[in-house]
Amino acid sequence: LKMSKDEIQTLRERKRVKLHEIKDSTLPEIAIVGRSNVGKSTMLNTLTESPNTARVSSKPGLTRQLNFYRCGDKFVVVDMPGYGFAFAKEADKEAWKELIEDYLGTRKSLKRIYVMIDARHGLKVADKEFLTMMGSTSSKKFQVVLTKCDLVSPPDLARTYMVVQEELKKSFKNAMTDRVLMVSSYTGAGMNTLRKDMLFACGQ
Ligand code: GTP
Ligand code: MG
């Protein structure tokens, strides 16, 4: 799967924008969600071939707001705060939940949700809880992307892929179970497929 120059350019021209700047935007949007520390922000940097776009940290819970990155004049990728870490304050947890539910549930220009899952662990309790919450607030389709694939052996990866696919089929009606992707931001594996997939999801 080779990408055209135009497609690559679209992704490179990403620009951080504030919500109010694109409030009434009709540009298609793609949301990146997943457990904290699963590698969402790193994936975004690799995707846009720009190492300093999204801030990355080994400490979970770095991304606390919605971060919008416009890719050329084609679409917007939204880096969302992760779930699964212990909030210090109950009020913070409520604020997080409200932000996520509001965005995923009501955003009209949102075309697809990518749920990042650590390839070493598959679906954890926190993931299942999140997907259940998402299913009750949003009717949007979502896709799973297994991350950090450089840390698992090919047979383990194959096994996790199958288990995740089965679990999605069984329990989550909005899951696109035939489109589970696998990536490593460190080696770049699977990244072009993901780029293509996103452009396709946005109808490019
Ligand atoms: P929050 O913003 O807290 O939700 O985290 P996040 O999902 O944005 O994770 P982030 O991109 O900040 O990465 C978390 C840690 O995982 C960092 O130490 C990264 O260097 C590491 N990491 C990210 N992607 C990969 C990968 O593909 N392979 C490996 N081995 N490590 C990765
Ligand atoms: Mg992040």
Side-chain angles (χ1 to χ4, degrees):
L1 272 172
K2 272 230 160 236
M3 298 196 71
S4 73
K5 273 214 180 90
D6 266 11
E7 287 169 335
I8 291 174
Q9 199 53 30
T10 293
L11 288 162
R12 277 210 189 114
E13 275 171 16
R14 48 83 232 93
K15 176 174 176 279
R16 173 105 179 255
V17 286
K18 294 262 179 252
L19 180 57
H20 67 84
E21 293 175 50
I22 51 164
K23 203 162 190 304
D24 306 312
S25 150
T26 51
L27 282 183
E29 282 170 22
I30 282 176
I32 312 291
V33 297
R35 212 153 46 76
S36 190
N37 219 36
V38 73
K40 298 178 293 298
S41 301
T42 309
M43 192 277 295
L44 207 70
N45 289 338
T46 308
L47 187 81
T48 59
E49 299 188 338
S50 142
N52 302 314
T53 304
R55 284 182 58 213
V56 167
S57 163
S58 56
K59 207 166 132 262
L62 177 77
T63 310
R64 296 307 273 269
Q65 348 118 275
L66 303 181
N67 293 299
F68 295 85
Y69 300 96
R70 198 175 60 212
C71 294
D73 56 359
K74 293 285 187 358
F75 67 98
V76 173
V77 183
V78 189
D79 185 18
M80 305 191 67
Y83 49 83
F85 60 91
F87 282 91
K89 290 188 229 134
E90 192 59 26
D92 286 346
K93 186 173 180 182
E94 279 310 307
W96 171 85
K97 201 160 172 263
E98 206 171 296
L99 179 75
I100 303 281
E101 286 184 336
D102 187 42
Y103 178 78
L104 295 180
T106 64
R107 187 75 175 170
K108 284 210 176 61
S109 38
L110 180 62
K111 296 296 174 216
R112 184 73 52 80
I113 301 162
Y114 286 87
V115 181
M116 307 279 136
I117 302 288
D118 193 316
R120 291 171 296 177
H121 311 307
L123 294 179
K124 292 186 117 182
V125 174
D127 297 312
K128 290 179 185 169
E129 282 174 4
F130 180 82
L131 292 178
T132 303
M133 184 265 265
M134 205 165 82
S136 63
T137 42
S138 171
S139 56
K140 301 257 156 63
K141 292 270 182 215
F142 74 87
Q143 260 175 269
V144 162
V145 180
L146 299 177
T147 62
K148 307 193 186 182
C149 289
D150 54 289
L151 297 177
V152 290
S153 69
D156 283 346
L157 183 58
R159 205 170 303 123
T160 305
Y161 176 94
M162 306 253 275
V163 171
V164 168
Q165 202 175 39
E166 279 313 307
E167 286 178 312
L168 292 174
K169 271 187 192 153
K170 213 171 67 191
S171 314
F172 303 101
K173 64 179 188 329
N174 294 332
M176 302 176 72
T177 52
D178 54 339
R179 302 268 286 273
V180 176
L181 303 180
M182 292 169 275
V183 302
S184 163
S185 298
Y186 280 17
T187 67
M191 221 33 99
N192 260 348
T193 308
L194 178 60
R195 289 189 183 104
K196 280 268 180 203
D197 201 84
M198 287 182 168
L199 289 163
F200 183 73
C202 290
Q204 305 291 321

Coordinates of all heavy atoms in Angstrom, one line a residue, residues 92-165:
D92 N -12.6 15.2 38.9 CA -11.8 15.1 37.7 C -12.3 14.0 36.8 O -12.4 14.1 35.6 CB -10.3 14.9 38.0 CG -9.6 16.1 38.5 OD1 -10.3 17.2 38.4 OD2 -8.5 16.0 39.0
K93 N -12.7 12.9 37.5 CA -13.2 11.8 36.7 C -14.5 12.1 36.0 O -14.7 11.8 34.9 CB -13.4 10.6 37.7 CG -13.8 9.3 37.0 CD -13.8 8.1 37.8 CE -14.2 6.9 37.0 NZ -14.3 5.7 37.8
E94 N -15.4 12.8 36.8 CA -16.7 13.2 36.2 C -16.5 14.1 35.0 O -17.1 14.0 34.0 CB -17.5 13.9 37.3 CG -18.2 12.9 38.2 CD -19.0 11.9 37.4 OE1 -19.8 12.2 36.6 OE2 -18.8 10.6 37.7
A95 N -15.5 15.1 35.2 CA -15.3 16.0 34.1 C -14.7 15.3 32.9 O -15.2 15.6 31.7 CB -14.2 17.1 34.6
W96 N -13.9 14.3 33.1 CA -13.3 13.5 32.0 C -14.5 12.8 31.2 O -14.6 12.8 30.0 CB -12.3 12.5 32.5 CG -11.9 11.5 31.5 CD1 -10.9 11.7 30.6 CD2 -12.4 10.2 31.3 NE1 -10.8 10.5 29.8 CE2 -11.7 9.6 30.2 CE3 -13.5 9.5 31.9 CZ2 -12.0 8.4 29.7 CZ3 -13.8 8.2 31.4 CH2 -13.0 7.7 30.3
K97 N -15.4 12.2 32.0 CA -16.4 11.4 31.5 C -17.4 12.3 30.7 O -17.8 11.9 29.6 CB -17.2 10.7 32.6 CG -18.0 9.5 32.2 CD -18.3 8.6 33.4 CE -19.3 7.5 33.0 NZ -20.7 7.8 33.2
E98 N -17.7 13.4 31.2 CA -18.6 14.4 30.5 C -18.0 14.8 29.2 O -18.7 14.9 28.2 CB -18.8 15.6 31.4 CG -20.1 16.3 31.2 CD -20.4 17.3 32.3 OE1 -20.6 16.9 33.4 OE2 -20.4 18.5 31.9
L99 N -16.7 15.2 29.2 CA -16.0 15.6 28.0 C -16.0 14.6 26.9 O -16.4 14.8 25.8 CB -14.5 15.9 28.4 CG -13.6 16.4 27.2 CD1 -13.9 17.8 26.9 CD2 -12.2 16.3 27.7
I100 N -15.7 13.3 27.3 CA -15.7 12.2 26.3 C -17.1 11.9 25.8 O -17.3 11.8 24.6 CB -15.1 11.0 27.0 CG1 -13.7 11.2 27.6 CG2 -15.1 9.8 26.1 CD1 -12.6 11.2 26.6
E101 N -18.0 11.8 26.7 CA -19.4 11.4 26.3 C -20.0 12.5 25.4 O -20.6 12.2 24.4 CB -20.3 11.2 27.5 CG -20.0 9.9 28.2 CD -20.9 9.7 29.4 OE1 -21.5 10.6 29.9 OE2 -21.1 8.5 29.8
D102 N -19.7 13.7 25.8 CA -20.2 14.8 25.0 C -19.7 14.8 23.6 O -20.4 14.9 22.6 CB -19.9 16.2 25.7 CG -20.6 17.3 25.0 OD1 -21.8 17.2 24.7 OD2 -19.9 18.4 24.9
Y103 N -18.3 14.7 23.5 CA -17.7 14.7 22.2 C -18.1 13.5 21.3 O -18.5 13.7 20.2 CB -16.2 14.8 22.3 CG -15.5 14.8 21.0 CD1 -15.5 15.9 20.2 CD2 -15.0 13.6 20.5 CE1 -14.9 15.9 18.9 CE2 -14.4 13.6 19.2 CZ -14.4 14.8 18.4 OH -13.9 14.7 17.2
L104 N -17.9 12.3 21.9 CA -18.2 11.1 21.1 C -19.7 11.0 20.8 O -20.1 10.5 19.7 CB -17.7 9.9 21.9 CG -16.2 9.7 22.1 CD1 -15.9 8.4 22.8 CD2 -15.4 9.8 20.8
G105 N -20.5 11.5 21.7 CA -22.0 11.3 21.5 C -22.6 12.3 20.6 O -23.6 12.0 19.9
T106 N -22.1 13.5 20.5 CA -22.8 14.5 19.8 C -22.1 15.1 18.6 O -22.7 15.8 17.8 CB -23.2 15.7 20.8 OG1 -21.9 16.3 21.2 CG2 -23.9 15.2 22.0
R107 N -20.8 14.9 18.5 CA -20.0 15.6 17.4 C -20.5 15.1 16.0 O -20.2 13.9 15.7 CB -18.5 15.3 17.6 CG -17.6 16.1 16.7 CD -17.6 17.5 17.1 NE -16.6 18.2 16.3 CZ -16.5 19.6 16.2 NH1 -17.2 20.3 17.0 NH2 -15.6 20.1 15.5
K108 N -21.0 16.0 15.3 CA -21.6 15.6 14.0 C -20.5 15.2 12.9 O -20.6 14.3 12.2 CB -22.4 16.7 13.4 CG -23.8 16.8 14.0 CD -24.8 17.3 13.1 CE -26.2 17.3 13.7 NZ -26.3 18.2 14.9
S109 N -19.4 16.0 13.0 CA -18.3 15.7 12.0 C -17.4 14.5 12.3 O -16.6 14.2 11.5 CB -17.5 17.0 11.8 OG -17.3 17.6 13.0
L110 N -17.7 13.9 13.4 CA -16.9 12.7 13.8 C -17.3 11.5 12.9 O -18.4 11.0 12.9 CB -17.2 12.4 15.3 CG -16.4 11.1 15.8 CD1 -14.9 11.3 15.8 CD2 -16.8 10.9 17.3
K111 N -16.3 11.0 12.2 CA -16.5 10.0 11.2 C -16.2 8.6 11.7 O -16.8 7.6 11.3 CB -15.7 10.2 9.9 CG -16.1 11.5 9.2 CD -17.5 11.4 8.7 CE -18.0 12.7 8.1 NZ -19.4 13.0 8.3
R112 N -15.2 8.5 12.6 CA -14.7 7.2 13.0 C -14.0 7.3 14.3 O -13.3 8.3 14.6 CB -13.8 6.6 11.9 CG -13.2 5.2 12.2 CD -14.3 4.1 12.0 NE -14.9 4.2 10.7 CZ -14.4 3.7 9.6 NH1 -13.3 3.1 9.5 NH2 -15.1 3.8 8.5
I113 N -14.1 6.3 15.2 CA -13.4 6.3 16.4 C -12.4 5.1 16.4 O -12.7 4.0 16.0 CB -14.4 6.1 17.6 CG1 -15.4 7.2 17.6 CG2 -13.6 6.0 18.9 CD1 -16.6 6.9 18.5
Y114 N -11.1 5.5 16.6 CA -10.1 4.4 16.7 C -9.8 4.2 18.2 O -9.4 5.1 18.9 CB -8.8 4.9 16.0 CG -9.0 4.8 14.5 CD1 -9.5 5.9 13.8 CD2 -8.6 3.7 13.8 CE1 -9.6 5.8 12.4 CE2 -8.7 3.6 12.4 CZ -9.3 4.7 11.7 OH -9.4 4.6 10.3
V115 N -10.0 2.9 18.6 CA -9.7 2.6 20.0 C -8.4 1.8 20.0 O -8.2 0.8 19.4 CB -10.8 1.7 20.5 CG1 -10.5 1.3 22.0 CG2 -12.2 2.4 20.4
M116 N -7.4 2.4 20.7 CA -6.0 1.8 20.8 C -6.0 0.8 21.9 O -6.4 1.2 23.1 CB -5.0 2.9 21.0 CG -5.0 4.1 20.1 SD -4.2 3.7 18.6 CE -5.4 4.3 17.4
I117 N -5.5 -0.4 21.6 CA -5.4 -1.4 22.6 C -3.9 -1.9 22.6 O -3.4 -2.2 21.6 CB -6.3 -2.6 22.3 CG1 -7.8 -2.1 22.2 CG2 -6.1 -3.8 23.3 CD1 -8.4 -1.8 23.5
D118 N -3.3 -2.1 23.8 CA -2.0 -2.6 23.9 C -1.9 -4.0 23.5 O -2.6 -4.9 24.0 CB -1.5 -2.4 25.4 CG 0.0 -2.6 25.6 OD1 0.6 -3.5 24.9 OD2 0.6 -1.8 26.3
A119 N -1.0 -4.3 22.5 CA -0.9 -5.6 21.9 C -0.5 -6.7 22.9 O -0.7 -7.9 22.8 CB 0.0 -5.6 20.7
R120 N 0.2 -6.2 24.0 CA 0.7 -7.1 25.0 C -0.5 -7.6 25.9 O -0.4 -8.7 26.5 CB 1.7 -6.5 25.9 CG 3.0 -6.2 25.2 CD 3.9 -5.3 26.1 NE 3.3 -4.0 26.3 CZ 3.8 -3.1 27.1 NH1 4.9 -3.3 27.7 NH2 3.2 -1.9 27.3
H121 N -1.5 -6.8 26.0 CA -2.6 -7.2 27.0 C -4.0 -7.5 26.4 O -4.8 -8.1 27.1 CB -2.8 -6.0 28.0 CG -1.5 -5.5 28.5 ND1 -0.6 -6.3 29.1 CD2 -0.9 -4.3 28.6 CE1 0.5 -5.6 29.5 NE2 0.3 -4.4 29.2
G122 N -4.2 -7.1 25.2 CA -5.6 -7.3 24.6 C -6.6 -6.4 25.4 O -6.2 -5.4 26.1
L123 N -7.9 -6.8 25.4 CA -8.9 -6.0 26.1 C -8.8 -6.2 27.6 O -9.0 -7.3 28.0 CB -10.3 -6.4 25.6 CG -10.6 -6.0 24.1 CD1 -12.1 -6.5 23.8 CD2 -10.5 -4.6 23.8
K124 N -8.6 -5.1 28.3 CA -8.6 -5.2 29.8 C -9.9 -4.7 30.3 O -10.8 -4.2 29.5 CB -7.5 -4.3 30.3 CG -6.1 -4.9 30.0 CD -5.0 -4.0 30.7 CE -4.3 -4.9 31.7 NZ -3.3 -4.2 32.5
V125 N -10.2 -4.9 31.6 CA -11.4 -4.5 32.2 C -11.8 -3.1 31.8 O -12.9 -2.7 31.4 CB -11.4 -4.7 33.7 CG1 -12.7 -4.2 34.3 CG2 -11.3 -6.2 34.0
A126 N -10.7 -2.2 32.0 CA -11.0 -0.8 31.7 C -11.4 -0.5 30.3 O -12.2 0.4 30.0 CB -9.7 0.0 32.0
D127 N -10.8 -1.3 29.3 CA -11.2 -1.2 27.9 C -12.7 -1.6 27.7 O -13.4 -0.9 27.1 CB -10.3 -2.1 27.0 CG -8.9 -1.6 27.1 OD1 -8.6 -0.4 26.9 OD2 -8.0 -2.5 27.3
K128 N -13.1 -2.7 28.3 CA -14.4 -3.2 28.2 C -15.4 -2.2 28.8 O -16.5 -1.9 28.2 CB -14.6 -4.6 28.8 CG -13.8 -5.6 28.0 CD -13.9 -7.0 28.6 CE -13.1 -8.0 27.8 NZ -12.9 -9.2 28.5
E129 N -15.1 -1.6 29.9 CA -15.9 -0.6 30.6 C -16.1 0.6 29.7 O -17.2 1.1 29.5 CB -15.4 -0.2 31.9 CG -15.6 -1.2 33.0 CD -14.9 -0.8 34.3 OE1 -14.3 0.2 34.4 OE2 -15.0 -1.7 35.3
F130 N -15.0 1.0 29.1 CA -15.0 2.2 28.2 C -15.9 1.9 27.0 O -16.7 2.7 26.6 CB -13.6 2.6 27.8 CG -13.6 3.8 26.9 CD1 -13.7 5.1 27.4 CD2 -13.5 3.7 25.5 CE1 -13.8 6.2 26.6 CE2 -13.6 4.8 24.7 CZ -13.7 6.0 25.2
L131 N -15.7 0.7 26.4 CA -16.4 0.4 25.2 C -17.9 0.3 25.5 O -18.7 0.7 24.6 CB -15.9 -0.9 24.6 CG -14.5 -0.8 24.0 CD1 -14.0 -2.2 23.4 CD2 -14.4 0.2 22.9
T132 N -18.2 -0.2 26.6 CA -19.7 -0.3 27.0 C -20.2 1.1 27.2 O -21.3 1.4 26.7 CB -19.8 -1.1 28.4 OG1 -19.2 -2.4 28.2 CG2 -21.2 -1.3 28.8
M133 N -19.5 2.0 27.9 CA -19.9 3.4 28.0 C -20.1 4.0 26.6 O -21.1 4.7 26.4 CB -18.9 4.1 28.9 CG -19.2 5.5 29.2 SD -18.5 6.7 28.1 CE -17.0 7.2 28.9
M134 N -19.1 3.8 25.8 CA -19.2 4.4 24.4 C -20.4 3.9 23.7 O -21.1 4.6 23.0 CB -17.9 4.0 23.7 CG -17.5 5.0 22.6 SD -15.9 4.7 22.1 CE -16.0 3.4 20.9
G135 N -20.7 2.6 23.8 CA -21.8 2.0 23.1 C -23.2 2.6 23.5 O -24.1 2.6 22.8
S136 N -23.2 3.1 24.8 CA -24.5 3.6 25.3 C -24.6 5.1 25.0 O -25.6 5.7 25.2 CB -24.6 3.3 26.8 OG -23.6 4.0 27.5
T137 N -23.5 5.8 24.6 CA -23.6 7.2 24.3 C -23.4 7.5 22.8 O -23.8 8.6 22.4 CB -22.4 8.0 25.0 OG1 -21.2 7.3 24.9 CG2 -22.7 8.3 26.5
S138 N -22.8 6.6 22.1 CA -22.6 7.0 20.7 C -22.9 5.8 19.8 O -22.7 4.6 20.1 CB -21.1 7.3 20.5 OG -20.7 7.4 19.2
S139 N -23.5 6.1 18.6 CA -23.8 5.0 17.7 C -22.8 5.0 16.6 O -22.9 4.2 15.6 CB -25.2 5.3 17.1 OG -25.2 6.6 16.5
K140 N -21.7 5.7 16.8 CA -20.6 5.7 15.8 C -19.9 4.4 15.7 O -19.7 3.7 16.8 CB -19.6 6.8 16.1 CG -20.2 8.2 16.1 CD -19.9 9.0 14.9 CE -20.9 10.1 14.6 NZ -20.9 11.1 15.7
K141 N -19.4 4.1 14.6 CA -18.6 2.9 14.4 C -17.2 3.1 15.0 O -16.7 4.2 15.0 CB -18.4 2.5 12.9 CG -19.7 2.1 12.2 CD -19.8 0.7 12.3 CE -21.1 0.2 11.6 NZ -21.7 -0.9 12.3
F142 N -16.6 2.0 15.6 CA -15.2 2.1 16.0 C -14.4 1.0 15.5 O -14.9 -0.1 15.2 CB -15.2 2.3 17.6 CG -15.4 1.0 18.3 CD1 -14.4 0.1 18.6 CD2 -16.7 0.7 18.8 CE1 -14.6 -1.0 19.3 CE2 -17.0 -0.4 19.5 CZ -15.9 -1.3 19.8
Q143 N -13.1 1.2 15.5 CA -12.2 0.2 15.1 C -11.1 0.1 16.1 O -10.7 1.1 16.8 CB -11.4 0.8 13.8 CG -11.9 0.2 12.5 CD -11.3 0.9 11.4 OE1 -11.7 1.9 10.9 NE2 -10.1 0.3 10.9
V144 N -10.6 -1.1 16.3 CA -9.5 -1.3 17.2 C -8.2 -1.4 16.5 O -8.0 -1.9 15.5 CB -9.7 -2.6 18.0 CG1 -8.5 -3.1 18.7 CG2 -10.8 -2.5 19.1
V145 N -7.2 -0.7 17.2 CA -5.8 -0.7 16.7 C -4.9 -1.3 17.8 O -4.9 -0.7 18.9 CB -5.3 0.7 16.3 CG1 -3.9 0.7 15.8 CG2 -6.2 1.4 15.3
L146 N -4.3 -2.4 17.5 CA -3.3 -2.9 18.5 C -2.0 -2.2 18.4 O -1.5 -2.1 17.3 CB -3.1 -4.4 18.3 CG -4.4 -5.3 18.3 CD1 -4.0 -6.8 18.0 CD2 -5.0 -5.3 19.7
T147 N -1.6 -1.6 19.6 CA -0.4 -0.8 19.6 C 0.8 -1.5 20.2 O 0.7 -2.6 20.8 CB -0.6 0.5 20.4 OG1 -0.9 0.2 21.7 CG2 -1.7 1.3 19.8
K148 N 2.0 -0.9 20.0 CA 3.3 -1.4 20.6 C 3.5 -2.9 20.1 O 4.0 -3.7 20.9 CB 3.3 -1.3 22.1 CG 2.9 0.1 22.6 CD 3.2 0.2 24.1 CE 2.7 1.6 24.6 NZ 3.0 1.8 26.0
C149 N 3.2 -3.2 18.9 CA 3.4 -4.5 18.4 C 4.8 -5.0 18.3 O 5.1 -6.2 18.3 CB 2.8 -4.7 17.0 SG 1.0 -4.6 17.0
D150 N 5.8 -4.0 18.5 CA 7.2 -4.4 18.5 C 7.5 -5.2 19.8 O 8.6 -5.8 19.9 CB 8.1 -3.2 18.4 CG 7.7 -2.1 19.4 OD1 6.6 -1.5 19.3 OD2 8.5 -1.9 20.4
L151 N 6.6 -5.1 20.8 CA 6.9 -5.7 22.1 C 6.4 -7.1 22.2 O 6.5 -7.8 23.3 CB 6.4 -4.8 23.2 CG 7.0 -3.4 23.4 CD1 6.3 -2.7 24.5 CD2 8.5 -3.5 23.6
V152 N 5.7 -7.6 21.2 CA 5.2 -9.0 21.2 C 5.7 -9.8 20.1 O 5.9 -9.3 19.0 CB 3.6 -9.1 21.3 CG1 3.1 -8.6 22.6 CG2 3.0 -8.3 20.1
S153 N 5.8 -11.1 20.3 CA 6.2 -12.0 19.2 C 5.1 -12.2 18.2 O 3.9 -12.1 18.6 CB 6.6 -13.4 19.8 OG 5.4 -14.0 20.3
P154 N 5.4 -12.5 17.0 CA 4.3 -12.7 16.0 C 3.3 -13.7 16.4 O 2.1 -13.5 16.2 CB 5.1 -13.2 14.7 CG 6.5 -12.5 14.9 CD 6.7 -12.5 16.4
P155 N 3.6 -14.9 17.0 CA 2.5 -15.8 17.4 C 1.6 -15.2 18.5 O 0.4 -15.4 18.5 CB 3.3 -17.0 18.0 CG 4.7 -16.9 17.5 CD 5.0 -15.5 17.2
D156 N 2.2 -14.5 19.5 CA 1.4 -13.9 20.5 C 0.5 -12.8 19.9 O -0.6 -12.7 20.3 CB 2.3 -13.3 21.6 CG 2.9 -14.3 22.5 OD1 2.4 -15.5 22.5 OD2 3.8 -14.0 23.2
L157 N 1.1 -12.1 19.0 CA 0.3 -11.0 18.3 C -0.9 -11.6 17.6 O -2.1 -11.2 17.7 CB 1.2 -10.2 17.3 CG 0.5 -9.1 16.6 CD1 0.0 -8.0 17.6 CD2 1.5 -8.4 15.7
A158 N -0.7 -12.7 16.9 CA -1.7 -13.4 16.1 C -2.8 -13.9 17.1 O -4.0 -13.8 16.8 CB -1.2 -14.6 15.3
R159 N -2.4 -14.4 18.2 CA -3.4 -14.9 19.2 C -4.2 -13.8 19.8 O -5.4 -13.9 19.8 CB -2.6 -15.6 20.3 CG -3.4 -16.7 21.1 CD -2.6 -17.5 22.0 NE -1.5 -18.2 21.3 CZ -0.2 -18.0 21.7 NH1 0.2 -17.3 22.7 NH2 0.8 -18.7 21.0
T160 N -3.5 -12.7 20.2 CA -4.3 -11.5 20.7 C -5.2 -11.0 19.7 O -6.4 -10.6 20.0 CB -3.3 -10.4 21.1 OG1 -2.3 -11.0 22.0 CG2 -4.0 -9.3 21.8
Y161 N -4.8 -10.9 18.4 CA -5.7 -10.4 17.4 C -7.0 -11.2 17.3 O -8.1 -10.7 17.3 CB -4.9 -10.6 16.0 CG -5.7 -10.2 14.8 CD1 -5.6 -8.9 14.3 CD2 -6.5 -11.1 14.2 CE1 -6.3 -8.6 13.2 CE2 -7.2 -10.8 13.0 CZ -7.1 -9.5 12.5 OH -7.8 -9.2 11.4
M162 N -6.8 -12.5 17.4 CA -8.0 -13.4 17.3 C -8.9 -13.2 18.5 O -10.2 -13.2 18.4 CB -7.6 -14.9 17.2 CG -6.6 -15.1 16.1 SD -7.4 -16.0 14.7 CE -7.2 -17.6 15.3
V163 N -8.3 -13.2 19.7 CA -9.1 -13.1 20.9 C -9.9 -11.8 20.9 O -11.1 -11.7 21.2 CB -8.2 -13.2 22.2 CG1 -8.9 -12.9 23.4 CG2 -7.6 -14.6 22.3
V164 N -9.2 -10.7 20.6 CA -9.8 -9.4 20.6 C -10.9 -9.3 19.6 O -12.0 -8.9 19.9 CB -8.8 -8.3 20.2 CG1 -9.4 -6.9 19.9 CG2 -7.8 -8.1 21.4
Q165 N -10.7 -9.9 18.4 CA -11.7 -9.9 17.4 C -13.0 -10.6 17.8 O -14.1 -10.2 17.7 CB -11.2 -10.6 16.1 CG -11.9 -10.2 14.9 CD -11.3 -10.8 13.6 OE1 -10.8 -11.9 13.6 NE2 -11.3 -10.0 12.6

